[in-house]
Amino acid sequence: MAAPAKNQPAMPSRPPSRSLSARRRPPPPSKPAPRPVSMALSSPRRPPPPSRSAPLLNLANGNPSQTEIDVAPTPSSTRGRVPPPIPTRSISQPILRQARPAPPPGRMPASEGVEKLSIAAYLEQNKPEWKCLPMPTRLCIQFLVQPRFLQEEGLFRIPGSRTAILAKDKLLLASSIDEASVFEDVLDPAIVAGLLKMLLARHHTATGISRTSQEILGKGLDTVDMDLQPKHIHDALMLIEASDQRLLKAMMWLLLQVVQNDDNRMSVKALSTSVGPSLFCCLSTGVAQRLLKTLLNHPLECLT
C-alpha cells in the first residue's frame, strides 16, 4: 500500500451536520419603544391673524382701557380696485339687531276679512229649511250647531263611542220618539258627529245624498282648470234633486261654521278628510275629499 505524500495538505474536518429543526432562527429586531409625548413640548397653536380693527390693552399706564387700531385696506394691484373699509366697533359694544315690527293685534288681510264677512252674511241669509230635512239629520245638525259644541277641539275628527252611536241610531229609527229628549243625555259632541257621518253614508235612504246626485257633482271636477271648478260644481248642483240640494246646503251651512270657528282647530283640509268620504260615499276617497274641499274654499261661488 502506498504511503501518502508528505507535501499533500490534510483535508479539513467537516462540522457535524445539524437538522433543519435544530437550526435556530435569528430573533426579530426589537421595535423601538414609543417616545412619550410631552404636553409641554407640543407645539402651541398659532394665534388667529389680527383683524382690521383689533382691540388692544393700554398697559403702559396701568389702565386696562380698550383702544382700537384701524388697519387701512391695501389696494389690490392685480384687480385695480380698493376694497371698501370695514366699519370699526369696540369689543364691549353689543350688536343691536332691529326686530321686525309685529302686525297689530286684531287685524287680518283685507281679502280674508271680506271673505269672512261674505260667508257670515251667507250663513245668516241661507239657513236650512228644517221642515224639509229628514228628522235624524235635522236633529244632529241642530245639536252640533250650538256654540258650545262648535268650539269642541277635533270635531268630526275625534271618533265617539261606538256603542253610544249605535244606541242613538236605534233610537232614531223608532216609530214614535220625543225629539227633545233624543240627545238630552249626550255630553260628548263626538257621538252626534259620528252618528251624522253614519247617516250621511246611507245614500240609499233619505238621510244621505243619492248615488246619481253624487256622480253628477263629481263630474264638476273633471275640468283641468282649477278656477273653473267652482262654476262647474254650481252648474252640477242645479241638476240634482231638490231634496239632495237641501241636504247638501244644510251640511255646508254646518261645516262652514265649524271652519269659521278657530277654537276647534279644524281646517278645511282636516274637515274634508274626515267628512268627505261619508258625505260623498259613492265617489272615490280622493274625489270626495277634493269635492268637499272645493265647496268649503269657494262656498259663495258653488252654492249661490
Side-chain angles (χ1 to χ4, degrees):
M1 184 175 182
K6 294 182 179 182
N7 298 332
Q8 185 177 2
M11 297 294 295
S13 61
R14 297 179 60 183
S17 62
R18 297 181 180 179
S19 60
L20 297 177
S21 60
R23 296 179 181 177
R24 296 183 178 179
R25 296 181 179 179
S30 60
K31 297 182 179 180
R35 187 169 55 182
V37 179
S38 176
M39 298 301 295
L41 298 178
S42 59
S43 59
R45 296 183 179 179
R46 295 183 179 179
S51 59
R52 295 182 180 273
S53 177
L56 299 177
L57 296 179
N58 188 8
L59 300 179
N61 302 327
N63 183 17
S65 61
Q66 296 181 353
T67 59
E68 293 183 353
I69 296 179
D70 296 340
V71 180
T74 57
S76 176
S77 58
T78 56
R79 299 186 179 181
R81 60 186 182 186
V82 179
I86 298 178
T88 61
R89 179 181 60 85
S90 175
I91 202 171
S92 61
Q93 181 181 359
I95 300 177
L96 300 179
R97 297 182 179 179
Q98 297 181 356
R100 296 182 179 180
R107 292 191 58 183
M108 62 180 66
S111 59
E112 185 178 353
V114 171
E115 185 70 17
K116 285 193 174 185
L117 290 177
S118 303
I119 293 178
Y122 168 80
L123 295 175
E124 184 66 25
Q125 299 174 4
N126 296 271
K127 293 185 177 182
E129 303 177 10
W130 300 116
K131 297 181 179 180
C132 300
L133 294 176
M135 184 266 298
T137 308
R138 172 172 53 84
L139 293 180
C140 292
I141 295 177
Q142 290 177 346
F143 179 85
L144 294 174
V145 81
Q146 301 180 46
R148 57 172 179 167
F149 295 137
L150 289 176
Q151 299 176 359
E152 186 72 18
E153 184 177 351
L155 188 63
F156 285 106
R157 178 173 54 85
I158 300 177
S161 174
R162 182 71 177 178
T163 305
I165 292 176
L166 294 178
K168 292 300 179 182
D169 183 30
K170 184 178 180 180
L171 179 62
L172 290 175
L173 294 179
S175 57
S176 58
I177 59 172
D178 185 11
E179 297 183 3
S181 61
V182 173
F183 301 126
E184 186 177 5
D185 57 338
V186 176
L187 300 178
D188 186 9
I191 298 176
V192 183
L195 177 60
L196 179 57
K197 292 167 63 176
M198 180 185 297
L199 295 174
L200 293 173
R202 298 172 182 171
H203 60 91
H204 54 278
T205 62
T207 60
I209 302 176
S210 62
R211 177 185 294 271
T212 305
S213 299
Q214 293 185 30
E215 293 176 351
I216 294 175
L217 291 173
K219 292 181 180 179
L221 300 176
D222 292 343
T223 176
V224 181
D225 193 353
M226 302 291 292
D227 298 335
L228 297 179
Q229 287 183 359
K231 181 180 182 302
H232 290 183
I233 293 176
H234 176 269
D235 296 341
L237 184 63
M238 299 294 103
L239 301 178
I240 64 177
E241 300 178 2
S243 59
D244 293 337
Q245 288 186 21
R246 289 191 292 265
L247 179 58
L248 179 59
K249 289 184 177 181
M251 280 301 304
M252 294 303 302
W253 185 76
L254 170 64
L255 297 180
L256 284 174
Q257 296 188 61
V258 175
V259 173
Q260 294 296 311
N261 197 311
D262 298 333
D263 297 334
N264 52 36
R265 298 184 180 182
M266 289 297 293
S267 60
V268 173
K269 182 179 179 180
L271 208 58
S272 303
T273 305
S274 305
V275 187
S278 300
L279 183 60
F280 306 108
C281 57
C282 297
L283 305 177
S284 62
T285 304
V287 175
Q289 294 176 359
R290 287 172 50 205
L291 180 57
L292 183 55
K293 185 177 180 180
T294 306
L295 287 169
L296 291 175
N297 287 329
H298 309 278
L300 304 179
E301 302 175 17
C302 297
L303 303 177
T304 56

